[in-house]
Amino acid sequence: MNLPQTATGANLQQGLEAPAVLQPVAASLFADRAARFERLADGHASGDWLAFLARLSRIQHELLQSHPAVPLPSEAERIRAREHGMPVLPANGWRRDRVWRQHLAALADGLLPHAPDVLRPVLAGLPAIGEAELERLADGVLRTEYDPAHSARLPFIAAALQVYWAWMAAQPALAGLARLDVPGVCPCCGSLPVASVIQAGQYAGARYLHCSLCSTEWNLVRANCSSCGETDKVSYRVLEAEGGTTRDTVRAEVCDDCHSYLKQVLRDKDASADPVADDLATLALDILVDEAGYLRSGPNPLFIPGGVTESRADG
Ligand SMILES: [Zn+2]
Ligand SMILES: [Zn+2]
C-alpha cells in the first residue's frame, strides 16, 4: 500500500505532516453531524428544519453502522485510477449497488413520523417511485443537475447516496488515495466539495476540502481558491454576529479571479463544527455573498433550491 502523499508546501506554513487525503470515519461521521445539527437548531430561525436534518443525519448514521458489504473497485481498477489521476469511485459512472435505494426507503420510513406537513406527501410518495426513475434522479443528483420538477425529493436521494458512498470511501481498501491534479474535486469520487474545513486537533490549522457526496477530505493549501487555484485574489466575508454561536465559525472564501466562493468552517474555533450542518445554518451568508456577485462553487445536496424546504431555510 502506498503511504499517503504529504501536503508539501502546506507543511512549512502549518508545521505538521497533514495527510493529503483523509477517509471518512464511519463510526462518527453522521453521528457528529446529527449532534451538530441539534446544537445549531437551538434558538435558530430555521430551528425546526435543522432539527429535522439532525434526524436525517441520525438515520444516516444508523444505516452506515449496519451497512452490508457491497462491491468495491478491484485492485486493477484502483491502480488504473491512480495511474490516470482519476477518482476511484466516480460519482458519475460508478456501477451503483441497489443498496442506496434501500437506504432511501429507510430514510423515508424513519423521517415520515417527524416530518413537517409540507414534506409528508414527499416522503410518503418516495417508495412508489419506480427503480428506473429513482436511478435517473440519482444520476441527476450525482451530476448536480437537479430536476426542478423533483427538487423536494432530491435531498433524500442525496442523503441515501451519501450513506452508500461514505461506506465505500471509509473502507481500508480505499486508504492511501492521492490528490488529483484538479485540486477542486474529490480524489475518491470526483464530486465537488460542500465546504472547506480548517482542522483542529491532530492536523490543526490544515485546510481540507470536504466532499459533498462521500465525505472524503483532501488537503489544499490555505488561501488558494479551491475553484481556480488563484492565491492573490482570495478574501473572506462573514456574517455580522447577532448573538448566534455559529457566526464566527463559518466564513465565505471569495475569489475575485473566478468570482466563485466556498464556505470555510473553522474547527479551530469550534471543534464540533461540521461542513454540512454549519453550511445549512448559515444560508444568510450565501445570500450576502450571492448578492455581491459570487457564484457558489460546490453544492450542499441536502438543500436543493426550489425544494419545499427553501422557504424555511432563511437562517
Ligand atoms: Zn467524494
Ligand atoms: Zn478562483
Side-chain angles (χ1 to χ4, degrees):
M1 190 175 68
N2 292 308
L3 289 169
Q5 166 191 339
T6 52
T8 50
N11 293 344
L12 284 176
Q13 208 179 321
Q14 293 160 2
L16 46 76
E17 287 283 333
V21 178
L22 298 174
Q23 290 181 279
V25 178
S28 58
L29 170 69
F30 292 117
D32 288 351
R33 183 162 299 161
R36 183 62 176 171
F37 268 125
E38 275 161 18
R39 266 183 63 186
L40 292 168
D42 190 22
H44 195 286
S46 299
D48 290 348
W49 178 57
L50 297 173
F52 179 72
L53 292 174
R55 284 191 185 280
L56 179 144
S57 304
R58 191 73 64 192
I59 297 171
Q60 286 182 303
H61 170 71
E62 288 159 10
L63 291 169
L64 190 55
Q65 303 320 298
S66 59
H67 205 287
V70 291
L72 292 168
S74 66
E75 191 181 356
E77 285 174 311
R78 297 201 301 272
I79 291 168
R80 197 158 58 237
R82 178 180 280 270
E83 282 174 357
H84 293 268
M86 301 293 287
V88 67
L89 279 169
N92 196 0
W94 173 250
R95 46 184 192 280
R96 287 192 293 274
D97 191 275
R98 57 186 295 172
V99 73
W100 82 268
R101 298 198 304 265
Q102 296 167 17
H103 297 334
L104 181 66
L107 281 161
D109 247 23
L111 288 170
L112 191 55
H114 310 284
D117 289 346
V118 69
L119 280 178
R120 278 174 201 273
V122 175
L123 290 165
L126 282 174
I129 305 175
E131 286 178 17
E133 176 68 352
L134 280 177
E135 294 296 339
R136 186 187 72 83
L137 293 173
D139 282 338
V141 166
L142 294 169
R143 287 198 291 258
T144 62
E145 294 166 5
Y146 303 130
D147 183 341
H150 297 277
S151 51
R153 294 165 165 173
L154 300 184
F156 304 105
I157 289 172
L161 292 166
Q162 283 175 342
V163 174
Y164 168 48
W165 247 275
W167 184 86
M168 294 189 289
Q171 296 308 303
L174 274 285
L177 294 182
R179 280 172 299 174
L180 305 183
D181 295 339
V182 187
V185 300
C186 174
C188 179
C189 77
S191 296
L192 293 167
V194 59
S196 71
V197 178
I198 303 298
Q199 300 285 356
Q202 198 178 2
Y203 308 120
R207 191 262 285 264
Y208 283 81
L209 297 172
H210 186 100
C211 178
S212 57
L213 176 65
C214 76
S215 290
T216 291
E217 295 187 335
W218 65 103
N219 189 284
L220 183 68
V221 180
R222 289 175 76 154
N224 263 36
C225 170
S226 59
S227 192
C228 73
E230 186 62 51
T231 53
D232 295 344
K233 295 176 180 171
V234 169
S235 60
Y236 298 95
R237 302 284 188 279
V238 292
L239 284 175
E240 296 297 321
E242 291 165 17
T245 53
T246 66
R247 306 292 158 127
D248 57 352
T249 58
V250 180
R251 59 187 182 179
E253 186 180 80
V254 307
C255 174
D256 280 312
D257 197 59
C258 67
H259 299 283
S260 75
Y261 79 95
L262 196 67
K263 284 186 196 159
Q264 199 166 77
V265 174
L266 306 171
R267 281 213 179 116
D268 50 348
K269 296 247 168 100
D270 184 340
S272 68
D274 176 84
V276 171
D278 282 68
D279 173 39
L280 295 179
T282 54
L283 293 179
L285 181 56
D286 292 87
I287 294 168
L288 182 87
V289 177
D290 186 73
E291 284 173 356
Y294 300 97
L295 200 66
R296 184 167 160 138
S297 61
N300 188 328
L302 297 186
F303 173 66
I304 309 274
V308 293
T309 54
E310 186 172 25
S311 61
R312 50 186 62 234
D314 53 1

